[in-house]
Amino acid sequence: MIDRRTVLASTFALAACDRFASAEPAPVAIPPLKSACPAPFGAAVKAYLLDDPDWVALARTQVSQLTPEWEMKMEYVLADGLKRPNFDRSDRIAAFAAANGMALHGHALIWYAQGEQAFAGLSGAAFDRAFDGYIASVAGRYRGRARGWDVVNEPILDDGSGLRDCHWSARYGHDGYILRAFEKAREADPEAVLFLNEYNQESIPAKGAQFLRLVERLLKAGCPLTGLGLQSHLWIDVEEGAIARLMGEVAGFGLPLHVSELDCTLRTDKRLDLRSQSERIARQTARVTELAAAFAALPEAQRYAFTVWGLRDTDSWYRQGEKDDGKDKPLPFDSFGRPNPMAAALVQGFGA
Ligand code: 9MR
């Protein structure tokens, strides 16, 4: 995942090279991704999309699993404080999934970036009660409905040099909060697959190595970690072969893998990047094909699901507000719901 400064800088770079850009590629014909994918094919969703008939039609055709993009996070659930958790939108997404025969993936229970405000002022046993109680109430609420949970999200520093300091690690230690979260999630839902979810393992070798070490340590400590999430926020300059290599290493643990948040931005952090849109798309196609093929090559028991972080380009977090350059195509469908080259890359990689 590239950072926000990068995105803004590259907006200018892309604008600068606009005159070199070729015409939009023609939409491609593809089979439904949920039938091409050798596992449940998921998409992230925000509740307002359930009121968009075009999104609903596209999702019904393409998708067999949903991940709430933010309304199952502390940021939303605890927006009114610990005493008034709000499940209105996550309930709505869960009900939509069930009504449409789609599975549900829970995202995300404990994240360094969230909950600081809701937990402010708590210490000692009160903090413990709130931490344990949050996991029990959220994972417990969707027990039997969510087939898996991102129990801990993004614990590793961006440069891979160690684990992040956060309000959770301050109380329980760097491994301690992760262990505690997994234990509480297991108590709340004995059946769900429990994931450690992280990004950039393929593109920052030190981060990939740190991820492998962390998983090994957690498993040795008896952590009920039963799934590994590769977010896969890719970009076009990820080194060829790095995605497949990393997936092979992670698969060595024998646990189910989730490609949990795939998108592939066409933007880069080069200040003057004169590559045309079609050259960028060719690179995106290569990386996405590599990812899908590596996933399809896993043993069946290790293919938990393959999830894209939105269906249409304009639904992507890259295309919101001031981040939007109007041109990025990080997702498999264009703004009209027509397949992008990325959709064809997925089908090709899945070998369908
Ligand atoms: O796409 C999500 C965006 O809509 C939210 O505002 C943001 C904060 O909750 O989270 C984004 O999703 C992130 C995901 O939860 C964890 N991995 C990185 C994703 C993209 O930033």
Side-chain angles (χ1 to χ4, degrees):
M1 183 169 39
I2 58 179
D3 70 25
R4 190 183 157 96
R5 265 171 309 149
T6 303
V7 166
L8 289 177
S10 54
T11 302
F12 296 119
L14 268 183
C17 74
D18 198 20
R19 64 208 158 93
F20 297 102
S22 55
E24 285 286 296
V28 287
I30 52 142
L33 294 174
K34 69 179 179 187
S35 37
C37 183
F41 187 80
V45 63
K46 293 188 194 177
Y48 77 88
L49 291 168
L50 307 180
D51 298 318
D52 171 348
D54 294 338
W55 184 90
V56 169
L58 186 63
R60 283 188 177 135
T61 312
Q62 303 293 339
V63 158
S64 50
Q65 180 165 301
L66 292 177
T67 302
E69 187 170 342
W70 76 281
E71 287 137 323
M72 218 179 235
K73 294 172 181 167
M74 262 185 201
E75 160 189 17
Y76 184 82
V77 174
L78 296 185
D80 296 329
L82 275 161
K83 295 211 173 77
R84 280 191 294 165
N86 191 354
F87 294 109
D88 57 349
R89 296 198 192 165
S90 49
D91 281 353
R92 206 177 153 215
I93 292 170
F96 176 89
N100 287 280
M102 298 170 184
L104 180 70
H105 179 75
H107 175 81
L109 291 172
I110 296 295
W111 189 5
Y112 77 91
Q114 304 218 330
E116 204 157 3
Q117 211 178 337
F119 279 67
L122 295 180
S123 60
F127 191 102
D128 298 348
R129 272 195 304 277
F131 185 91
D132 298 351
Y134 179 79
I135 295 173
S137 70
V138 183
R141 186 179 190 88
Y142 297 102
R143 179 175 172 174
R145 292 192 280 168
R147 60 185 285 256
W149 271 102
D150 293 328
V151 177
V152 173
N153 200 35
E154 305 174 1
I156 303 175
L157 285 165
D158 277 340
D159 66 1
S161 61
L163 301 188
R164 296 178 194 270
D165 291 327
C166 61
H167 50 304
W168 314 124
S169 68
R171 168 126 187 93
Y172 303 119
H174 285 121
D175 286 9
Y177 85 88
I178 303 176
L179 287 163
R180 190 176 182 111
F182 274 93
E183 276 155 22
K184 297 300 156 189
R186 180 48 82 225
E187 284 167 21
D189 188 340
E191 305 294 328
V193 187
L194 302 182
F195 285 87
L196 179 70
N197 195 41
E198 188 54 91
Y199 64 91
N200 278 0
Q201 297 101 316
E202 67 292 300
S203 49
I204 300 180
K207 197 163 179 184
Q210 189 68 250
F211 183 78
L212 296 170
R213 283 200 296 278
L214 175 60
V215 171
E216 197 177 350
R217 223 165 46 240
L218 292 171
L219 292 174
K220 258 196 199 131
C223 179
L225 162 65
T226 52
L228 301 173
L230 307 175
Q231 291 187 9
S232 310
H233 290 287
L234 304 179
W235 62 89
I236 57 174
D237 292 322
V238 172
E239 185 204 331
E240 182 178 354
I243 296 169
R245 193 162 56 238
L246 184 276
M247 194 176 292
E249 285 168 356
V250 174
F253 291 106
L255 296 175
L257 305 195
H258 186 194
V259 170
S260 55
E261 306 185 10
L262 169 65
D263 49 29
C264 184
T265 180
L266 300 178
R267 306 181 210 185
T268 69
D269 54 10
K270 295 189 175 82
R271 272 208 73 73
L272 244 196
D273 190 339
L274 298 181
R275 287 175 293 183
S276 66
Q277 184 87 339
S278 56
E279 192 180 345
R280 289 163 197 259
I281 285 177
R283 287 181 158 267
Q284 181 194 62
T285 296
R287 296 292 67 80
V288 169
T289 307
E290 180 184 333
L291 176 72
F295 180 80
L298 293 170
E300 190 179 355
Q302 287 191 264
R303 296 191 298 248
Y304 169 80
F306 192 105
T307 296
V308 287
W309 210 235
L311 285 174
R312 302 171 302 195
D313 295 326
T314 34
D315 301 328
S316 168
W317 63 291
Y318 281 115
R319 297 289 306 270
Q320 307 307 310
E322 60 174 15
K323 292 200 292 283
D324 186 13
D325 69 352
K327 284 188 278 208
D328 202 359
K329 299 181 74 61
L331 292 174
F333 298 92
D334 71 10
S335 55
F336 300 102
R338 299 174 304 192
N340 280 332
M342 189 204 266
L346 288 170
V347 172
Q348 194 193 332
F350 290 145

